[in-house]
Amino acid sequence: HPLLARLLGYHAHTWWQRGNLELAERQAGQALAVAAASGDPASARDGQDALANVFGFRGDHDAARLAGERAYELAVAADDADVQAMALMDLATQSAYAGRHEEAARYEATFAALVERTRSVTGRASLAYVRGECRVERGGADAPRYLEEAVTVAEEAELSFAAGIARHTLVTSSAR
């Protein structure tokens, strides 16, 4: 069933967030297999996005980009703004980590348009984080402003994960 693929893919995110990349990859792979068998290829979008994060944490920026692009394409096909946002966040940051700053800026602009359209508070916090993270990677002096905005918006909405990653980058980038 397509919803099983979504659930497996979504749950795979909890594993990479806790540092278990092997289990996250295995569960995301199961999500892709279930999606393929279900006849609903778009139900693989969460699994693809989880894989983008697994590959990113392993430092495989090319594989992360391919999985992120696939997640984004599937989310667009399903009209799923939440997964579109997650995929764009991954694509922008992975591009910045790989030194592809023009590409990161294009993903960031697409993400900004999505946030403007959806008016999502989670999207606003995530976009501010992406702007800060990408600017840190390219040496932008305005990075702290965006990261502080991400923390503020995330805390107001009780988005502890978003606040935590923005706070982490704010602290580690000031120590560089």
Side-chain angles (χ1 to χ4, degrees):
H1 193 276
L3 290 179
L4 177 58
R6 299 283 322 272
L7 179 62
L8 287 167
Y10 192 74
H11 192 254
H13 284 280
T14 68
W15 291 115
W16 69 256
Q17 290 172 348
R18 289 184 275 169
N20 193 332
L21 301 180
E22 182 180 315
L23 190 51
E25 183 175 24
R26 189 171 350 138
Q27 194 158 43
Q30 290 172 332
L32 301 186
V34 169
S38 77
D40 180 8
S43 66
R45 59 194 178 273
D46 299 285
Q48 287 287 356
D49 190 60
L51 284 175
N53 283 280
V54 168
F55 297 142
F57 276 103
R58 288 185 178 148
D60 189 344
H61 302 300
D62 292 332
R65 179 175 53 177
L66 290 174
E69 287 173 346
R70 187 69 181 133
Y72 180 72
E73 291 165 359
L74 294 171
V76 168
D79 195 28
D80 183 340
D82 292 330
V83 177
Q84 287 176 48
M86 289 190 311
L88 289 167
M89 185 165 98
D90 297 335
L91 287 163
T93 55
Q94 288 301 320
S95 296
Y97 300 151
R100 297 189 298 255
H101 300 297
E102 289 180 14
E103 182 178 294
R106 285 192 301 273
Y107 287 126
E108 183 184 314
T110 303
F111 190 13
L114 177 67
V115 170
E116 177 67 27
R117 181 174 53 91
T118 62
R119 305 245 186 246
S120 162
V121 174
T122 303
R124 283 184 33 232
S126 299
L127 177 60
Y129 163 72
V130 164
R131 286 177 167 159
E133 187 79 16
C134 290
R135 280 155 182 77
V136 164
E137 289 300 311
R138 68 175 184 251
D142 57 346
R145 176 173 63 97
Y146 289 107
L147 294 167
E148 289 166 1
E149 176 187 346
V151 170
T152 299
V153 173
E155 285 181 340
E156 287 172 359
E158 298 183 14
L159 302 167
S160 58
F161 182 75
I165 60 174
R167 196 176 285 110
H168 175 269
T169 299
L170 189 57
V171 169
T172 58
S173 64
S174 67
R176 291 182 192 174

